[in-house]
Amino acid sequence: MREVALAACALLVAVAAVAVTQRTSDDSEPATEPQGSYHAIAGSSGPAAFGRRTACGGVIRPDTIGVAHPTLPCGAKIFVSYRGQTVLTQVIDRGPIGPGREFDLTDALARRLGLQGVKQITWAYARTG
């Protein structure tokens, strides 16, 4: 009977520790919300970019979510929206590569948004607070 009581106490302590850890990590992450609203022409860099090293120091993989922009700083977080889908992403490269575009989206980001070809998107700065 004593072992059962000790096991129950240990389980209770473990559950409490997980709850405290979860609450602490939730409280430490500030909420992110869009600031401003801008329109831009964007297209996907496509699978041809897979394996390419970015100007921001990463490598584009099939699951990389990010954008290329000529002047926004590397790591800048932005919201990108297209046809009702919005994704929080970041600048991972310089670009765009294609003419007439203001942004290049990674293939994974374009797929998540449902963007094919070159289209108008809406974007906003991500503000934490």
Side-chain angles (χ1 to χ4, degrees), residues 13-25:
V13 169
V15 168
V18 167
V20 168
T21 303
Q22 182 63 39
R23 182 175 173 95
T24 302
S25 67

Side-chain angles (χ1 to χ4, degrees), residues 36-76:
S37 181
Y38 309 94
H39 297 286
I41 301 298
S44 172
S45 53
F50 296 166
R52 190 174 61 76
R53 194 150 208 49
T54 71
C56 298
V59 175
I60 297 179
R61 298 185 187 348
D63 62 343
T64 302
I65 301 287
V67 300
H69 190 270
T71 58
L72 290 174
C74 291

